Amino acid sequence: MMKISKIEYYLPQQVLTNEDLEKQFPEWSSERIQEKVGISQRHISSDSETVLDMAVQSSEKIFENYDRNRVDFILFCTQSPEYFLPTTACILQDRLGLRKNIGAIDFNLGCSGFVYGLAFAKGLIAGGIAKSILLVTSETYTKHIHPDDKGNRSIFGDASASAIIEKAEGNDYQFCLGTDGSGAENLIVKKGAFKKDFELNPEHKFSPENIYMNGPEIFNFTIENIPGLVKETLEVNGLTMDDIDHFVFHQANSFMLNYLRKKTKIPAENFYIDMEKTGNTVSATIPIALKNMMDKGMLKEGDKVLMAGFGVGYSWGATIMEI
């Protein structure tokens, strides 16, 4: 078994409130935005601030109470890398002053990224490759969003979360992972890499360098797949809904989460929603939620938490961890 020993996160200083959005889009009241997506504000990275800068901030918080020399592997999840090459994780090793005899890799995943990172960490620990893993999820989706895209601007925020994953005694919980690349076109940035012969979706009003999200299709994908993911995760671990103390899903938006909760028949008191002050921070939503739960004293030793991430790709994953 493995455990999450520590979690810290960093939010950029600039804040975009619903009132700010209302000034630019008067047809959308701040109350309507709050009611629709459950978000009152989101943090926005500055023009010069990158996922690496944010990762340094969240990781240095970890090392205030954890010996950085213990880290022997970096897993860095981002879809907004510093460069095409080199790997951002390699630069992070240097910026943090970590040992040179460690592994460091990036992996490109969005909303399922934290769960996948935990799966990778489990493999590294089980294989005897690493004992202390720094798992970082850092994202600046807002840099992909057109200033006039009120829908995506109301949802997404920027953040970085860092966690230490270590071996622990106890139950060895299994992962359930899934992929459906046929949904790639429904959440995509077309231009920026090396593919040139692309076509824009007719519904995409902005530049191919801006993010396009087909909200209804993303919603349908989630509703069709995630209830089954929860059921499968419980079954492969020999557990029932009653055995789980807390359900922490990717914080996409409150409407989707509440719909999922009801469809999956999860009791409201066991289902954590926490995005009002941060928005959808993509791969960082689950660790941010866990850290806030810890700070509020909501998690106690022995609690079982079912985590589920889902979104761009399409990609999804879930597992259970014991506090």
Side-chain angles (χ1 to χ4, degrees):
M1 179 185 173
M2 62 182 179
K3 65 178 180 180
I4 302 174
S5 298
K6 288 186 175 294
I7 301 178
E8 295 289 350
Y9 64 83
Y10 166 79
L11 301 172
Q13 292 185 352
Q14 181 181 347
V15 173
L16 178 68
T17 67
N18 290 353
E19 289 73 24
D20 295 329
L21 289 170
E22 184 179 4
K23 290 176 184 177
Q24 182 176 353
F25 308 106
E27 69 276 15
W28 271 26
S29 69
S30 58
E31 293 81 8
R32 181 186 175 191
I33 299 171
Q34 173 79 42
E35 180 181 355
K36 186 172 183 179
V37 296
I39 300 166
S40 64
Q41 66 176 45
R42 57 299 282 148
H43 291 255
I44 310 298
S45 56
S46 69
D47 290 343
S48 61
E49 193 171 30
T50 68
V51 293
L52 175 63
D53 298 324
M54 299 196 307
V56 170
Q57 294 281 352
S58 59
S59 299
E60 286 293 357
K61 290 183 181 182
I62 290 274
F63 299 133
E64 290 175 6
N65 296 291
Y66 188 88
D67 182 2
R68 68 186 69 219
N69 291 316
R70 293 173 62 184
V71 173
D72 49 17
F73 212 103
I74 300 172
L75 292 170
F76 196 118
C77 176
T78 188
Q79 295 188 310
S80 311
E82 198 82 353
Y83 307 106
F84 277 130
L85 57 100
T87 301
T88 307
C90 291
I91 308 173
L92 182 62
Q93 172 274 331
D94 180 64
R95 288 276 294 271
L96 293 175
L98 301 184
R99 294 185 289 114
K100 294 182 180 179
N101 58 333
I102 70 172
I105 60 170
D106 289 358
F107 63 100
N108 180 327
L109 273 178
C111 309
S112 63
F114 185 71
V115 174
Y116 268 77
L118 292 176
F120 298 153
K122 178 181 179 179
L124 291 168
I125 292 170
I129 298 169
K131 295 179 180 179
S132 174
I133 297 161
L134 177 64
L135 170 58
V136 180
T137 54
S138 189
E139 207 60 77
T140 55
Y141 258 38
T142 65
K143 295 186 188 302
H144 292 304
I145 301 174
H146 192 279
D148 294 331
D149 187 349
K150 63 183 179 182
N152 284 324
R153 286 188 68 198
S154 71
I155 294 172
F156 291 106
D158 298 331
S160 176
S162 297
I164 294 292
I165 315 299
E166 297 178 306
K167 185 177 181 178
E169 299 300 323
N171 294 316
D172 185 19
Y173 295 107
Q174 303 304 308
F175 286 77
C176 292
L177 306 174
T179 306
D180 181 4
S182 68
E185 295 282 334
N186 292 321
L187 183 46
I188 193 169
V189 176
K190 286 271 187 170
K191 185 177 180 181
F194 292 109
K195 184 170 177 59
K196 306 301 179 185
D197 58 336
F198 56 80
E199 295 182 4
L200 281 182
N201 187 305
E203 297 177 1
H204 192 18
K205 303 175 184 177
F206 308 111
S207 163
E209 295 178 346
N210 297 128
I211 195 168
Y212 167 73
M213 182 168 69
N214 186 329
E217 285 301 320
I218 296 293
F219 181 85
N220 290 337
F221 146 73
T222 303
I223 300 306
E224 289 172 5
N225 288 279
I226 305 313
L229 173 65
V230 172
K231 181 180 179 182
E232 181 187 4
T233 303
L234 291 171
E235 288 178 350
V236 299
N237 286 290
L239 299 173
T240 68
M241 198 81 76
D242 293 336
D243 294 317
I244 305 301
D245 299 288
H246 306 279
F247 293 82
V248 181
F249 287 10
H250 162 57
Q251 306 289 294
N253 65 71
S254 60
F255 177 81
M256 179 185 289
L257 287 176
N258 280 312
Y259 194 99
L260 268 179
R261 181 188 67 77
K262 293 172 184 176
K263 186 175 179 65
T264 315
K265 298 180 179 179
I266 299 172
E269 60 270 21
N270 300 116
F271 192 79
Y272 189 65
I273 297 180
D274 184 3
M275 72 182 77
E276 182 183 359
K277 301 296 184 181
T278 55
N280 180 340
T281 55
V282 197
S283 57
T285 68
I286 293 177
I288 288 175
L290 290 173
K291 171 60 175 173
N292 289 341
M293 292 175 77
M294 291 174 183
D295 290 347
K296 294 174 183 176
M298 296 177 63
L299 299 178
K300 62 182 185 296
E301 187 174 353
D303 278 358
K304 295 182 181 66
V305 182
L306 190 151
M307 295 169 283
F310 43 86
V312 58
Y314 297 138
S315 174
W316 61 95
T319 193
I320 296 163
M321 293 202 76
E322 202 166 296
I323 302 301

